[in-house]
Structures are given as C-alpha cells and as structure tokens.
Amino acid sequence: MKKASGLKLPADTAPLFRDRALAARMVAAVKEKASRLAASGPRRANFMEVCGTHTMAIAAAGLRRLLPPPVKMLSGPGCPVCVTSQGDIDRLIELALIDGVTVATFGDMLKVKGSKGLDLQAAREKGADVRVVYSPLDALEIARTEPSRKIVFIGVGFETTAPVIGGVLVRARAAALKNFFVAPLFKLVPPALEALLSAGDIEVDGFIMPGHVSAIIGPEPYRFVAEKYKVPCVIAGFEPLDILRGVDALLGQMLSGRPEVDTEYSRVVKAGGNPAALKLMAEVFAPADASWRAIGRIPGSGLSLSPAYRKFDAFAQFGVKEREAPEPKGCICGLVLTGKASPPDCRLFGKACTPSSAVGPCMVSSEGACAAWFKYGG
Amino acid sequence: MPGKNGLKVPAKISLAYGSGGRLTHELVSGLFARAFANKALAELADAAEIQAGRERLAFTTDGYVVSPLFFPGGDIGKLAVCGTVNDLAVKGARPLALSASFIIEEGFDGELLKKAVLSMKAAAAEAGVDIVTGDTKVVDKGKADGLFISTAGVGLIPAGRKLAFANLRSGDELIISGPLGDHGVAVMNARNNLGLSGLKSDCAPLNAMLEKALAAGAVRAMRDLTRGGLATSLNEAASAAGLSIELDEEKVPVSPVTANACALLGLDPLYSANEGRAMLFCPPSSSAKVLRALRSHRYGRGAVRAGRVLGRGGDVSLRTAVGGSRLLRMLEGEQLPRIC
C-alpha cells in the first residue's frame, strides 16, 4: 500500500457539540414542545432517523432515554449494508468465487450472509480472494500492482459514497486499467423515501434526513416529503446536540402544522448540494432500478454505470445476473429497516443473532439498528 | 460444542477469538480454564497467585505478535517487557524476574532483532527487573511474521496485599491513570499506513507508579487496560464483583489527537488498547490520596476519577456527555487485531 502523506488532524471540535449545559437546555426545550404537543391531543411523534450513522449516534449518546414521550425514534433504510438485498449478496459471492477475481470491499460486507448461508468470509475460506480495504483508492492500487488479478470493488453506499467511487472510476479510465471493476449496488435516498411513503403503511411523523447524503444532494430532493406527504423534515448533523436540535425542529413543525425541509446542518449542507460531486455522478453513473432488502425493487433508486463507464461494471463483464432470494428465516431486518419494528421485537435478537454470529444485516453492519441496540441497549 | 469432558471450542478459531473481548473470554473459560482447572487459574486474573512457603508469588505470561514491530512510542521489545511487568504490578506484585522466548522467522534482519532486544533491556532497566532466562527458535520463512516474543514474569506480593475485583464495594470510586486509546490507535495508524500524525503509543512499565499509589492509600483492585480497552476491563470487574459500575463519559480522558483519529476511523477509545494505562478502584476515603500519588508520577499525570461502583448487578453503564445513559458492553468481535 502506498504511504499517505502526513495528514494533519484538525483541532478537536467535538466538545462544542457535547456541552452538557447546552444539552440540558435543549432537552428542556424538547420536553416543553413535547408536552405542548401531548396536550393538544393524543399525538404520536414517531421520528425516523433515515441514516445508520444517526442510529449509532443516537444510541451511543444514550439519547433515547433523554427524549420525553410521545417522542419515539425509529430507524430507517439508511444503512447501506442493511438494505443490500439477499439476491445481491448472492451475486457478490458468485463474483468472488470466479477464478482470477479479487474482491475488495469495506469490512462490513464480509459477514452478510447470502441465501445459502454463505458470506464473503466463508467464500474466502473456500479459496476466494476477498480483501478488506479502507478506501476504493486502495482497490485501484491493488489493480495497478497486481495486473494478473481482476479486481472488483463492491460499490455499496448512498449518494455520499457514490461520488468517491465515481472519482476512482475516472482515474481507472484515465489510466486505461483493464483489470479494475466495480459491482454497482448504489442506492439513492429520496426514491426510497417516496416508496416508503407511497406504500402508506408507515407511521412516521417526521424525518431526520441524513447529513452526509444531504451535503451531496442538498435539501431540495426531499421537498416532496413535506409538500406531497405533509411530513416534517429536518437535515441534521451527527453530534448529540445536532440530533437534539433536529428533534426540537421536528416538534416545532408538528406544533405549527407547517411541514417543511429545515436544514439544521448548514455548516456542511448547502442549497444545491455539492455541484462538483453531482457533476461527477452524472458523468459516471446513470439512474437504475435497485432492489432493497424487504422493500423490494424501487424504480430509479439505484445507480448503474453510464455508457462511457459500462466496461467497468463487474456484473456485466462477468455475466452475473440479477436474482431474487428470500430473507433469512425468522429475521425481521425488513421491518426494522422500515421503522415498523424495533430490534428487540425480533425473537432472534441477542440470542441466535449477535454481532459475532449475525443472522441479518442489521446486526452485521456497524451502522445497523440491531447492532446499535445490542451494543448500547435500548 | 460441549464435549464429554465439558470442554467448549468453536469449530474454527477466527481472529475475533484473539481480540481480548467476549469471544476470547468464551475460549479461555470454555477450553483453557476447564482443561487446566485449578484454584490459581480459576481467578483468571492478569497474574496467578501462588504460595511458595510463606511468600505469595504472582506469575504471568504473555505472547507478543504486534504488527508492525516498531511504531511511534514503542516496539515489540518494549511491549513484551512492559506488558508482563504491568500484569504483575496490577496484582500488587513487585517484579522479581522475567523470561523471554523469541520465535524468529528465517531471514529476519539482525539489526532489527538487536534493536528490539536493546529496547527490552531499556524497559527492563526502567522497571527494575532482570531478564534471567530465555529461549530462541528460528522457523521457516512464512511460518512467522518476522518476530514473535513471549515473556513470563514472576513477582513477590508483599504481605497483607490482596487485590481482586471480588473486593469491590458499592460506593467505591474508579480512577483511570491517564488518557485512553493511544496505543491501539497509534499501532493501527502505523500498520495501515493511514498517515495520521501525532499519534503515539502509551506503552510504559507501570510498576513504580502503581507501587506509589498502593503506598498512598487503600486500593481494592487494579487492572491494566490492554486489549478490549477500558470497556472490556470494566465489564470483567463488574461481573467478577457482581456489582454494577457507572462510567462518566465526560470524565474519561482522551487526547485530542486520539479522539480525532478515533472519530475519523470509526473507533471507540473506550475499546481501544492501552499498554501504559491502568484502572484502580478505591474506597472514597482513600481516592484523593491515591489520585495524588498517581499524578505525582510521570505516567499518571493525566489520572482522573471517572466513575463509581453501584449496587448489585454486574453490568456497566455509561453516563453520556449530554446527560443520557446507555449500556457499555465488552468488546464484541475484533476492533484491532494484533496490537500487542
């Protein structure tokens, strides 16, 4: 691996966002709004944090025990590993077992089981060459230094990850690399929210929108949630105080009865998002249908490679076809991902399913709702 | 699966069984502790206590397989001495002698071996202990990763000293001897060429500092916070004592550079390994004196009170900086393989 140059770390800003006195004032404000809401009728305040990083942050800060009724936090479909369908996991394992192929992946994908109970780690034990990398650039480096291997990077992630991998593909194309491929399993957040809301069976009174995805796409793509479905939205950061601020803003919108898309993460999220990243995505990718665990196929909710980049598509190049596969028996990851159940509602939770022997992806991923609940308690 | 003899082993030993977390405990209690069953081992302490005539000895051993062999703040040699000295020291023992066994891969650079050995010499001199016996093996290329070192140590426990988690009482205070996570994060940075600057292992012999603390006031139990970090050690303490423990997130010292690296890499300093940090439990009446003694030593400047022993239970909770509260479990799976 190439040695990175001495990256200087920024001064520690975290304490600013964890100030106890400020937190106490914000909790008091949330309690006041929650009690006004409760007084105005038998109201619910189910808030879905769409993003897995929010799920972890909420659990790690112990926020659930701080939030007053009727506020209830629900996890959403924003953990990239969790929403990868069982059929797509099977395709990745099939890729890994092809002779001459090296699969490079972020570590979380290693232990998600496919429909035959096999995961990439088990594929490795069967002789597949599966390597964990910290950046897609590392995968590109492997392709450069090992020209006899065909390197497939697993492209799992949302709008946040796609531009990074897009950037790597631009480099691969410029270098005319013939042994570097991406397995495109990218997902897009707004179409998934549209699918959840249009199904009409979720009980969500407000969304905490993902901060990093929003940094790329900006607040505009969520507007339909507030306008068409009349559900309040707030874009929030990931520090405990950011999240309290987000909950406060959602309660404010419920009380006023005027749902909107409120950006409470303006230090990172700008109107219009990140134009450079959006331009790169438009060049490298093209919208495609994608299949989501438990939700199913959602039109336009994924990204495939654009015609100029199609030769880097691992599925196309190795002839690995799409397929459907059933969810693991007894696992309710699907319900957890759509805010219809909490992890302890699952009879496997903490018994047959723990992070070291996970049945479903929500327990495998470090961003999964079940892993968060197991690690930090409810 | 439990067999006829009650021994429990997994079908395959994955890396997670060496993480120092929950699976390591399963392997140790299911296989080693059952197969070798005896009174000294049953305590599963950092060092075993054995009676030799009228004296009580502490005896411990540890293997070092760190990668890379040299990293900012330390190396495999310093680690091999400090780790074993610290395992004796947290039992309240004064180290008497160490052994060192070297497993060297064919073709290993002689100068590097010398560098590691001189580092052991310096660490042993600082700890005031001699390396009195040893063993050398060279294995075929590919059969070891450069250099592995195993050390064992024996120490004398002064009369009247009895440190164990079973001694904990509700109301006892928890002291941490300094900022957490530096070692694990520094090694991970060095191993993966992550290129973060300013990270340095805390690797150090703690016997002199802990001896000072023990002389200053009553201490119920101590532990060095190696693999699995503070969170795992607190869980061991809570379950051994049958009492719950509460940790204040706000009080936990973490250096800004390690905190930032953890945030960047998705690591938790509470689970990250340390090689020169300890936790101590004291009754409230002695905690101020013990804290002062720790802070007067160069390795304990950053010592703080960070939590307390609650009533009956056996779990560990974290009062978060924003006033929330949540479970703090043992390390699950592997956070940082091969860091010591």
Side-chain angles (χ1 to χ4, degrees), chain A residues 251-323:
Chain A
L251 286 168
Q253 288 188 42
M254 286 181 78
L255 283 168
S256 73
R258 283 194 299 273
E260 55 170 346
V261 182
D262 179 6
T263 302
E264 293 290 346
Y265 196 31
S266 55
R267 64 183 190 277
V268 170
V269 178
K270 311 291 175 205
N274 180 331
L278 291 172
K279 184 165 165 271
L280 181 71
M281 282 168 74
E283 182 195 331
V284 178
F285 300 115
D289 298 352
S291 60
W292 296 59
R293 185 176 290 266
I295 305 172
R297 204 170 174 76
I298 306 176
S301 70
L303 294 173
S304 62
L305 298 181
S306 68
Y309 284 86
R310 197 143 290 159
K311 60 175 186 267
F312 294 102
D313 184 328
F315 294 131
Q317 292 305 318
F318 296 100
V320 173
K321 301 234 161 24
E322 280 204 64
R323 72 197 64 174

Side-chain angles (χ1 to χ4, degrees), chain A residues 7 10 20 60-61 356 374 376, chain B residues 22 195 260 320 326-327 329 332:
Chain A
L7 172 65
R20 181 169 279 193
S356 32
F374 182 87
Y376 298 124
Chain B
R22 188 173 64 80
N260 274 319
T320 65
R326 59 139 162 117
L327 262 184
R329 281 183 183 265
E332 182 77 28

Side-chain angles (χ1 to χ4, degrees), chain B residues 128-250:
Chain B
V129 63
D130 288 330
I131 299 168
V132 298
T133 184
D135 181 51
T136 311
K137 296 281 189 306
V138 179
V139 297
D140 293 338
K141 193 151 190 68
K143 296 282 165 67
D145 188 6
L147 176 65
F148 296 155
I149 302 177
S150 284
T151 53
V154 61
L156 187 66
I157 305 174
R161 239 180 226 179
K162 180 74 196 161
L163 297 165
F165 290 140
N167 299 341
L168 299 194
R169 297 286 171 272
S170 163
D172 283 354
E173 298 197 11
L174 165 70
I175 296 175
I176 302 170
S177 73
L180 295 183
D182 295 345
H183 175 76
V185 175
V187 170
M188 190 178 194
N189 181 46
R191 168 158 12 127
N192 295 310
N193 284 314
L194 300 177
L196 306 177
S197 63
L199 297 164
K200 189 166 174 259
S201 166
D202 49 60
C203 180
L206 298 178
N207 54 324
M209 177 186 80
L210 295 177
E211 196 58 47
K212 250 182 143 171
L214 288 168
V219 174
R220 308 255 205 230
M222 314 194 281
R223 174 150 286 188
D224 56 334
L225 306 172
T226 54
R227 289 175 314 168
L230 175 68
T232 300
S233 293
L234 283 175
N235 274 282
E236 286 163 355
S239 81
L243 296 168
S244 290
I245 298 173
E246 183 178 60
L247 179 69
D248 293 327
E249 186 178 40
E250 240 181 345

